[in-house]
Amino acid sequence: MSILETSNVGFAYRRGPAVLHDVSFAVTEGRNLAIVGESGAGKTTLLRLLLGLASPTTGDVTFDGTALLRERAYLRSFRRNVQAVFQDPYSSLDPRQTVGRILAEPLRSLKIPGAAGPAIAAALKAVDLPADAVSRYPHEFSGGQRQRIAIARAIIPGPRVLLADEPVSALDVSTRVRIVDLLASLSESITVVLVSHDLGVVAALCQDTVVLERGRVVEAGATESVLRSPASPYTRRLLASVPRLSAPGTEAR
Amino acid sequence: MTAVVALEAITTATRRRRSWTLVVGLVLFGLVLATAIVSLFWLPYDPADTAGSRLEPPSLAHWAGTDRLGRDLATQLMIGARIALAVGIGSVAIGAVIGITLGLVAAFAGRVLDDGVSAFLDILIAFPTLLLAMLIVAAQGASLWSAVLAIGLAMSAIIARLTRILAKRILALDYITASRTSGTGMWGIIWQHLLPNVWPTILVNLALQFGLSVIAEASLSYLGLGAPPPNSSWGRMLKEAEGTVLTAPIGAIAPGIAIVILVLGLNLIADGLRDIGDPLRRVSARAVPAPTTEGPR
Ligand SMILES: Nc1ncnc2c1ncn2[C@@H]1O[C@H](COP(=O)(O)OP(=O)(O)OP(=O)(O)O)[C@@H](O)[C@H]1O
Ligand SMILES: [Mg+2]
């Protein structure tokens, strides 16, 4: 069953050229999807459309088979189901709010019934943070811990889909592994859509992959087949650049 | 290791010095505030009382001497404190309300409106306060409130531009996007995220503007655009003492010192707030934001 789907989506920023052309793919429940592509390919833009933060210029984004509406009650239920984690854990948390307030915001704004306290405690537990984090401020946490807070905020409404825009690229390597592990454990119950430049992370986490090149889908399918036998020259180039980055010797410097 | 310790010592020292600026600033400001409050209930003389001899030097009977009509200068200084604070509070209130509102509108507006507001602000900022004051005086007559209105309007342009820049910067951050995906509407974002994050910087600026408004009112009064004596401001007292500054210098020195005390106090407060007001700048573990960092609820 596809939860989120784009059909022939095109998008242009105001007074700008089109940055997405004829993009069609589906996010299937239970299968994590990776969106890969060079910088500027339109990945973040695509996620903004999937989140309903902007409307496609052409084509449709559909959630559970119907096109997204602009209506308040609809958006509320949509946002309960589709949540996001951003790239930079330093700018994605309001520095002047306690972690408790940050985590309470979606509960309050999305009018999720039930007491906030236990829900917040459960979310903190799920991301492996101590319960006393609620009364502390974001600047008291490390980058990895902040990203856990951001993930806790995203899972607290109980979403079915989690869109993550390069969630580990701002973190150091060892922290990266732990956040990827966390996302992997969450994806047992939540479908993750992951934007990443790190094909290792993609292979570890995502069953499906979409390759975006200058706003167009150049390749889509099971991650394994995309990575093992890339059909497009662009994907081949992308794959070829990976061993160079992690070649022995570059790390020894 | 020692470097780290030394660095910590330096940051602690800086913080302590900073909190002293706030304390000294508050003491100076408190002095003026207390004087103003006392002046509401008690004055050494009736401000219009011309019974004293003219241009007396300071004495037990007249702590700051008398002016050229024989009126008590200490009495006038006390009334001046009240007026200086009224001018500051009035113009800061006008500047803050209009400025913050206009700045937020520009920050949220589409490009055309934003450009329009920005151009308007640039013109208003380039427009001399004096000219603005003269226009208002021409329309309304010279009074304290004409001066406050002119200063407040000039200030609102500066505050609006500051608010717009700060707000645009904040609105581009991911925690605003996260707030949107959390289902929070525009007003919720303004109250919960935008204002608390722009407020500390604006507050520091308002404290500075408060001091500047006292100077601006003094200048306007000096040019005869403020309220006439005997209920005159410190600037007007300076003007009155102009002709006798060589024979009876106390008439100019006393209001001069009063202005310095208030403006210096406000600048020190602004300086102190700048440092303690921002939890992001504080490295300490006890990072509970000071009350001043919270936006209006
Ligand atoms: N707010 C904006 N206004 C105008 N153009 C934009 C805006 N944001 C992005 N673009 C343009 O849209 C294109 C796609 O940008 P996008 O951020 O979606 O790329 P990306 O694939 O996420 O890149 P990266 O890997 O560097 O994050 C780029 O050419 C960019 O210049
Ligand atoms: Mg991006």
Side-chain angles (χ1 to χ4, degrees):
Chain A
M1 245 291 288
S2 82
I3 316 175
L4 274 174
E5 204 169 329
T6 66
S7 42
N8 311 105
V9 159
F11 183 80
Y13 283 99
R14 194 177 301 174
R15 259 169 274 195
V19 295
L20 292 175
H21 313 266
D22 208 19
V23 173
S24 302
F25 65 87
V27 180
T28 310
E29 188 124 48
R31 287 180 71 85
N32 296 339
L33 175 86
I35 301 174
V36 300
E38 271 176 354
S39 180
K43 306 180 296 292
T44 299
T45 307
L46 188 54
L47 282 200
R48 290 178 60 82
L49 298 182
L50 290 175
L51 279 167
L53 293 172
S55 301
T57 323
T58 58
D60 278 318
V61 175
T62 55
F63 169 66
D64 275 343
T66 53
L68 298 190
L69 302 175
R70 295 272 112 212
E71 190 229 325
R72 188 178 292 206
Y74 173 85
L75 276 178
R76 211 177 283 144
S77 83
F78 171 72
R79 298 206 184 293
R80 283 189 195 183
N81 285 293
V82 184
Q83 278 292 318
V85 175
F86 302 92
Q87 175 175 11
D88 179 7
Y90 288 88
S91 71
S92 65
L93 304 174
D94 187 335
R96 281 169 214 284
Q97 294 197 340
T98 59
V99 171
R101 252 190 100 187
I102 290 171
L103 296 185
E105 183 172 350
L107 295 176
R108 194 163 15 92
S109 292
L110 294 172
K111 299 206 182 348
I112 290 168
I120 290 170
L124 283 173
K125 192 153 183 284
V127 297
D128 238 339
L129 282 174
D132 66 7
V134 287
S135 58
R136 290 155 71 192
Y137 286 83
H139 74 268
E140 298 173 55
F141 294 88
S142 69
Q145 289 173 320
R146 282 161 176 253
Q147 204 57 307
R148 287 173 191 271
I149 297 168
I151 292 170
R153 169 177 58 197
I155 62 174
I156 220 170
R160 283 156 62 202
V161 192
L162 182 64
L163 308 181
D165 193 354
E166 305 188 38
V168 296
S169 63
L171 307 174
D172 65 75
V173 178
S174 62
T175 315
R176 235 178 242 202
V177 174
R178 305 231 239 117
I179 296 292
V180 171
D181 283 348
L182 173 61
L183 288 174
S185 76
L186 290 175
S187 71
E188 281 166 20
S189 53
I190 303 175
T191 307
V192 175
V193 177
L194 176 82
V195 168
S196 182
H197 290 288
D198 188 333
L199 294 183
V201 171
V202 167
L205 204 62
C206 300
Q207 289 85 3
D208 292 334
T209 295
V210 168
V211 181
L212 216 56
E213 184 186 5
R214 275 187 243 124
R216 290 177 203 280
V217 175
V218 290
E219 192 147 5
T223 303
E224 213 174 318
S225 61
V226 170
L227 295 188
R228 188 157 300 162
S229 48
S232 82
Y234 172 73
T235 314
R236 250 174 262 143
R237 258 186 290 134
L238 203 65
L239 270 170
S241 69
V242 174
R244 240 188 298 137
L245 292 175
S246 56
T250 46
E251 281 168 73
R253 274 189 300 148
Chain B
M1 195 57 212
T2 42
V4 173
V5 174
L7 190 68
E8 256 165 32
I10 291 169
T11 32
T12 315
T14 313
R15 211 174 304 131
R16 192 158 300 148
R17 185 175 63 74
R18 287 300 185 172
S19 62
W20 272 112
T21 65
L22 186 60
V23 169
V24 174
L26 286 171
V27 166
L28 293 179
F29 182 77
L31 200 67
V32 177
L33 184 64
T35 310
I37 291 171
V38 169
S39 83
L40 293 173
F41 304 103
W42 177 82
L43 288 168
Y45 291 89
D46 187 302
D49 181 355
T50 53
S53 48
R54 296 172 182 190
L55 297 173
E56 252 183 72
S59 64
L60 274 181
H62 299 283
W63 310 330
T66 58
D67 69 4
R68 61 196 158 92
L69 294 178
R71 293 176 299 204
D72 183 49
L73 280 176
T75 305
Q76 292 186 32
L77 278 177
M78 288 178 70
I79 293 173
R82 192 202 291 170
I83 290 172
L85 291 183
V87 166
I89 292 167
S91 54
V92 164
I94 292 173
V97 170
I98 299 181
I100 293 173
T101 310
L102 212 56
L104 289 182
V105 167
F108 272 94
R111 191 180 294 173
V112 176
L113 184 57
D114 184 15
D115 286 352
V117 173
S118 300
F120 174 70
L121 293 180
D122 285 341
I123 293 169
L124 201 56
I125 286 169
F127 209 73
T129 310
L130 182 59
L131 204 54
L132 193 62
M134 280 160 67
L135 288 177
I136 292 174
V137 166
Q140 297 200 334
S143 74
L144 194 62
W145 294 114
S146 296
V148 168
L149 192 59
I151 297 166
L153 286 179
M155 191 191 301
S156 67
I158 293 168
I159 297 297
R161 191 164 63 168
L162 176 72
T163 306
R164 173 179 165 272
I165 293 169
L166 291 172
K168 286 204 126 174
R169 199 179 297 158
I170 300 282
L171 287 174
L173 294 175
D174 282 342
Y175 63 78
I176 299 296
T177 313
S179 182
R180 288 180 67 191
T181 62
S182 295
T184 308
M186 186 179 81
W187 292 108
I189 287 175
I190 291 178
W191 283 104
Q192 293 161 34
H193 300 288
L194 193 55
L195 285 177
N197 279 286
V198 300
W199 180 245
T201 312
I202 292 179
L203 188 69
V204 167
N205 230 268
L206 288 177
L208 284 175
Q209 292 294 330
F210 195 130
L212 291 176
S213 74
V214 172
I215 295 177
E217 193 279 334
S219 317
L220 293 179
S221 281
Y222 190 80
L223 294 169
L225 297 174
N231 290 316
S232 59
S233 69
W234 294 333
R236 188 63 186 239
M237 287 176 72
L238 281 174
K239 166 82 175 161
E240 297 290 311
E242 194 181 17
T244 57
V245 69
L246 292 177
T247 47
I250 185 72
I253 291 172
I257 289 175
I259 291 170
V260 169
I261 288 176
L262 180 54
V263 174
L264 184 65
L266 287 162
N267 283 355
L268 290 176
I269 288 173
D271 215 20
L273 284 179
R274 199 196 315 271
D275 232 59
I276 65 148
D278 203 334
L280 306 179
R281 292 195 195 201
R282 283 181 304 170
V283 242
S284 89
R286 299 177 293 106
V288 184
T292 47
T293 66
E294 292 291 322
R297 282 294 119 95

